[in-house]
Structures are given as structure tokens and as C-alpha cells.
Amino acid sequence: MGRTSGISYAHVVTRLYVWLQRHPTLVDGVMAAVLVFFGLIATHAKDADHRGYVAITCVLIGVPVLFRRRYPLGAFWAVIAIGAVQVLMSRVMSLSDFAVPTVVYALAAYRRRRVSLVGLGVSVIGAGVALARWVPVANRPQISSADWVFAYGVAASPLIIAWLLGDSMRYRRAYYLDLEDKASRLERERDQQAQIGAATERARIARELHDVVAHNVSVMVVQAEGASYALDASPETTRRALGTIAETGRTALAEMRRLLGVLRSEAGAADRAPQPGVDQLEDLLEQVRAAGLAVAFTVQGVPVPLPQGMALAAYRIVQESLTNTRKHGGPRVSAQVSLHYGEDELRMLVQDDGRGSAALTDGQGNGLTGMKERVAMYGGALHAAPRAEGGYQVEAVLPYRAALIREAVR
């Protein structure tokens, strides 16, 4: 019961605060009306000669309070001017003079500190002048210095407190605005990082799809063309070619299913087949040789176990290079694949003696672009161009020492 009442009370207070925040002019109007009302009814009876002037200044001093949020500096100087007239015309303090701390608060809350400090200084000096004006001349000799200081402190303390509260409000408002700006920037950065991550993932999947499809389909095309030529003359050759086509198609489908499984997995934990690497190059070359392309393979230096991503990049570069050799090299083309393990890097060279076609792409630039992106991911370099003696070559350098150090640190 008590908890429900507490929650209801907090809810009511919160709604009231929100409502007041949405109607600032009404709040300021009520404040101005209260100041004017109590200023009028508290006019001292001994100042009957100036009662009319005091009443007019009481009304006028409340008007700037209505605009203290929108025009804090103008409202401050208007209240100071009206208050000065009131002090000169009357020797009696009015409760409407509390409009001065009100506008001092607004000045500190809505303007820079340098401006509000000037306003505080002016109002504090004005409090001293008003105090000297309101104390009768005949009573001044009986007032000690301590009493003057005490009286001045009482007169100036509402102004100082109002300034401190306003300055604190300005600081909190600036702090909250800074937090909102940081949150907004972090949200934008998060969205940008998500977009960059999605674009990177799309590019990676596009490279994988291109490498898998281009290689396997080119093998199937070559075998299908060979089977069509040998259909009548050598049924056994045709049968072997059709078997190769079927096996290659199954391999391509398995790779496609693996990639699509990764795409469909919400948590990114789909079942993944082992990624091909340098160790699987022999199987790749056997498949290429079975398709009719003569390939020589040499390894120099001491083989180094490469990180999985770099090993996959090396495999795909060789695969794409040989795919383009079959597509563009001509009928009697042969190729050579060389791997050289140095102290810090793996140097790969794929050469052929074909037509030397510069069309190292699939028509959209995905072949060469994919290889360059794979190499760039590891800070390497790739050079692809026709050879001077005929044919085409692809040279790639993968610096593996830094990658191995990062793997060890992880």
C-alpha cells in the first residue's frame, strides 16, 4: 500500500514537473503576479506620500520577470533600472524587490558566466546603495560596523545564492547537452560502423562466391566441351568428363551451402566446413590438371603455418589465377605455381604461357579486385600483367610475420 502510494506520488510529481517545463511563460507569469501582489499589500504606511509611485514601480518591476528566460539580459537591466527608481523615490523596501534575485538567477542560468558575474556585481552594489538609502539618517550613528556588515550580508545573500543556483543550472544544462551530443555522436558512429561492417561482409561474401563459382563453373565448362568432342570417338573419356562435371558441381554446391548457411545464421555460428588453405593447393592443382590444364608446382624455403585467413587468401589467389588461365590462355596453355617462403613473407607467383590476355576479370572486375582486396587485408602487394616473353603472370606478396605475432598475442 505504502509502496503504491509512493509510486503514485512520484508519478504525480514527475508529471507536474514535465507540465511546468512545457509552460515556462505561465510559471513566470504566476511568479510576477505574486511579487507584484505582495509588493502592493506590504507598502509601508509611513511612506504614504510616495505610495502611488511605489505601487507603480511594484507593478512595473514584475513585468520583466515574464521575459526572464527569453531575454535574461534585457530583463535584468529593466529590473535594475526600475529598482533604482524605486530606491530613489521611496525609503521603504518592497517585497517586489525580490524580482532582482529572480532575474539574477535567470542571467546566471541562461548567459555566459562572464556576463552573469557583471550582473551579480551590479546587483550587489545596488543592494548596498538601497541599504544605505533605507536606513534613516538619524539612526545611522547608533549602528555599529558589525551591524552594517551583517545587514549588508542579509541584503546581498539572496543575490549571491540566486547567482550560484543559476550558474549551477547552466552548468548542469551544458553537461546534459554535452551528454546528449556524445550519445548522438556515438549512435551515429555505431550506425556507421555497422554499415562499414555490413559492406565489408558483403565484399567478403562476394569474393568467396566469385572464387567458388568462377573456378568450379570454368572446370565444368571445360569438361563439358571436352565431353562433347569425345562423345562419339571415346565414350570412356566422355564418361570421365561427365563424372568430373558431377563432382565439381557437388563441390560448388557444398561451398555455396556453406556460404548461405553463414548468411542465414542469426548468431553467425552456422556450421562451417574447414576453409581451404595452402595445404589444399595440391588438391586444387589435381582438379585443374584433370580439367586439362598442365600445372607445375614448386615450393622454396621452409613452409610456415599461416593464419587461417591468410592461408585462404593464398589459396583463392592461386585458384583465381588458374581459372583465368583456363578462360583466357588458349587451348594448349600450361601454368606454373611457385611458393617462396622467406623470413617475413610468402611470395607467390602464378605464370602461364598462353595468350597473355590482360582480361584478368570476369567482365565486372571481380577477379582482380577480389585478389587485391585479399592481399590488402594483410598489408601485402599484388602485381598482375602480361609477360614480356608471352603469357600472363600474377605475383602476390603476403607478409606473414606480423600476422603470426598478432595471432600469438591473442
Side-chain angles (χ1 to χ4, degrees), residues 79-330:
V79 168
I80 292 297
I82 297 171
V85 172
Q86 188 182 53
V87 169
L88 292 175
M89 293 176 57
S90 173
R91 302 184 66 87
V92 178
M93 179 182 176
S94 173
L95 290 178
S96 62
D97 292 333
F98 279 99
V100 179
T102 303
V103 294
V104 168
Y105 170 87
L107 191 66
Y110 299 106
R111 286 294 180 265
R112 290 178 297 178
R113 182 173 292 173
R114 183 178 60 185
V115 176
S116 65
L117 283 174
V118 173
L120 176 63
V122 171
S123 60
V124 168
I125 294 173
V129 174
L131 181 64
R133 172 69 174 166
W134 289 332
V135 175
V137 177
N139 297 338
R140 293 178 185 177
Q142 290 81 23
I143 301 175
S144 64
S145 299
D147 292 335
W148 278 108
V149 172
F150 177 77
Y152 181 71
V154 172
S157 58
L159 302 171
I160 297 174
I161 293 173
W163 184 88
L164 290 174
L165 292 175
D167 189 69
S168 175
M169 177 61 71
R170 181 188 60 82
Y171 175 81
R172 288 200 302 271
R173 186 183 297 110
Y175 176 73
Y176 291 144
L177 290 176
D178 184 61
L179 286 181
E180 290 178 359
D181 181 64
K182 287 181 179 178
S184 178
R185 281 190 281 110
L186 287 174
E187 186 175 357
R188 290 195 300 269
E189 290 176 1
R190 182 195 63 190
D191 294 340
Q192 291 173 356
Q193 290 296 328
Q195 293 174 1
I196 293 173
T200 303
E201 187 66 10
R202 285 196 298 269
R204 185 187 68 82
I205 294 172
R207 288 195 300 268
E208 290 292 316
L209 287 173
H210 170 268
D211 292 340
V212 170
V213 173
H215 170 73
N216 290 289
V217 170
S218 65
V219 171
M220 294 167 67
V221 170
V222 171
Q223 292 293 331
E225 290 177 348
S228 65
Y229 289 122
L231 181 61
D232 297 326
S234 179
E236 186 63 28
T237 302
T238 302
R239 187 177 298 107
R240 287 198 301 270
L242 292 176
T244 302
I245 292 173
E247 181 62 29
T248 304
R250 282 192 291 269
T251 302
L253 287 175
E255 290 283 341
M256 292 286 289
R257 290 193 187 99
R258 180 182 62 81
L259 291 173
L260 293 176
V262 174
L263 286 175
R264 292 192 181 110
S265 175
E266 294 182 359
D271 295 334
R272 301 180 182 181
Q275 295 282 0
V278 177
D279 295 337
Q280 284 72 42
L281 282 178
E282 288 286 358
D283 297 334
L284 173 66
L285 297 181
E286 287 298 325
Q287 185 184 37
V288 172
R289 293 181 184 117
L293 175 63
V295 183
F297 182 49
T298 58
V299 178
Q300 299 175 348
V302 180
V304 175
L306 301 178
Q308 183 178 1
M310 184 176 289
L312 175 62
Y315 180 90
R316 295 302 189 197
I317 289 171
V318 174
Q319 183 185 55
E320 176 64 21
S321 301
L322 295 177
T323 298
N324 282 282
T325 296
R326 284 198 307 270
K327 291 167 63 176
H328 307 294

